[in-house]
Amino acid sequence: MLDSSLETSVGDVVPAPIPGSADLAETLLDQARSAGLPYAGGLSPVDAWSLIQSGRATLVDVRTNEERKFVGQVPAGLHVAWATGTSLNRNPRFVKELEAKVKTDAVVLFLCRSGKRSALAAEAAAKAGFTQVFNILEGFEGELDEAQRRGGLGGWRFRGLPWIQD
């Protein structure tokens, strides 16, 4: 477990704010904003981790339970599945579950396998009234390489950021 983390009443681990990091957080958020997207913007995994460590943002992992269990997960993240099961059926309760875990004005960073489902989740959250939702570019595992494998072309794990596996 990270030294700079706090456990919430529901057992989720969130990092404690790092003193003096508010200016850096605002700069990262400003740089990530994009007027051309249906949500606030996109962040690299490294910038996302900086925001989480600063206490300025909440990570929401939108992958399935199976992905989180067998591939790994970020210990400082919340979980609200965008889709479920091996067939990836869209979770019709996604927005309701998200509203139960984070406020609509909170800075929320969505993470999936490659950044595609998290972009859809960010768009749905923005349409539902969440005002500061961002997609974590590259996702947890990154894009497929020429051998059709993930993990070598970017992503949370590739960048050496904190993660755990059951």
Side-chain angles (χ1 to χ4, degrees):
M1 184 176 290
L2 302 170
D3 290 338
S4 63
S5 63
L6 301 170
E7 190 164 334
T8 66
S9 61
V10 293
D12 296 312
V13 177
V14 294
I18 297 172
S21 59
D23 292 338
L24 173 62
E26 287 307 315
T27 299
L28 290 174
L29 288 171
D30 288 344
Q31 290 173 349
R33 293 187 197 286
S34 174
L37 296 173
Y39 47 88
L43 290 154
S44 74
V46 172
D47 288 347
W49 179 240
S50 293
L51 287 168
I52 294 162
Q53 281 188 299
S54 75
R56 184 67 173 85
T58 300
L59 182 140
V60 175
D61 190 333
V62 300
R63 294 174 300 148
T64 66
N65 286 325
E66 294 83 3
E67 286 174 293
R68 291 167 40 87
K69 178 170 180 58
F70 297 113
V71 179
Q73 61 187 295
V74 179
L78 302 175
H79 180 238
V80 180
W82 172 251
T84 59
T86 56
S87 59
L88 295 178
N89 293 318
R90 167 82 161 75
N91 176 4
R93 298 176 312 281
F94 175 77
V95 170
K96 291 275 187 220
E97 291 174 16
L98 184 62
E99 289 171 337
K101 293 191 177 191
V102 293
K103 295 179 180 178
T104 57
D105 63 347
V107 176
V108 180
L109 313 179
F110 290 106
L111 177 73
C112 72
R113 179 180 56 206
S114 64
K116 292 175 180 66
R117 280 178 285 162
S118 51
L120 294 172
E123 182 175 355
K127 285 181 182 175
F130 284 81
T131 58
Q132 299 191 79
V133 291
F134 294 83
N135 180 29
I136 299 176
L137 307 171
E138 302 176 14
F140 190 74
E141 297 180 80
E143 290 293 332
L144 290 169
D145 64 16
E146 63 280 348
Q148 299 301 300
R149 291 185 224 141
R150 294 188 191 277
L153 296 178
W156 190 275
R157 291 189 325 182
F158 179 81
R159 304 288 174 207
L161 300 170
W163 66 283
I164 57 173
Q165 187 169 16
D166 287 343

